[in-house]
Amino acid sequence: MGYRIRECRKEKKMSQCELAEKSGVSRTIISGLENGTITTTTTDTLLKIAKALHTKVADIFFES
């Protein structure tokens, strides 16, 4: 999941700080998800990240 968050974020040319600001999720959480130190999170967090990336949660889990 984390690598997909990173891919989506980079496609949008967004830094972790920008994603944190737009999503309301801390940069520490985003970084942890992206690098694999955090492997579980809440549905609410995923929804916030997906919304900030203008994508669906399913797109974070599954490549199209």
Side-chain angles (χ1 to χ4, degrees), residues 14-34:
M14 204 182 287
S15 69
Q16 286 183 346
C17 289
E18 290 171 316
L19 179 56
E21 190 175 299
K22 289 183 182 208
S23 67
V25 175
S26 77
R27 194 203 60 78
T28 304
I29 298 291
I30 292 166
S31 175
L33 289 168
E34 286 188 359

Side-chain angles (χ1 to χ4, degrees), residues 4 11 14 17 20-21 23 30 32 39-40 42-43 45 48 51-54 56:
R4 288 290 299 143
E11 285 173 10
M14 204 182 287
C17 289
E21 190 175 299
S23 67
I30 292 166
T39 57
T40 59
T42 65
T43 302
T45 297
K48 287 177 181 179
K51 184 176 179 182
L53 291 170
H54 304 288
K56 299 174 189 161

Side-chain angles (χ1 to χ4, degrees), residues 5-17:
I5 293 172
R6 179 179 284 128
E7 283 180 356
C8 290
R9 178 177 60 77
K10 291 199 180 258
E11 285 173 10
K12 304 288 184 188
K13 299 184 183 345
M14 204 182 287
S15 69
Q16 286 183 346
C17 289

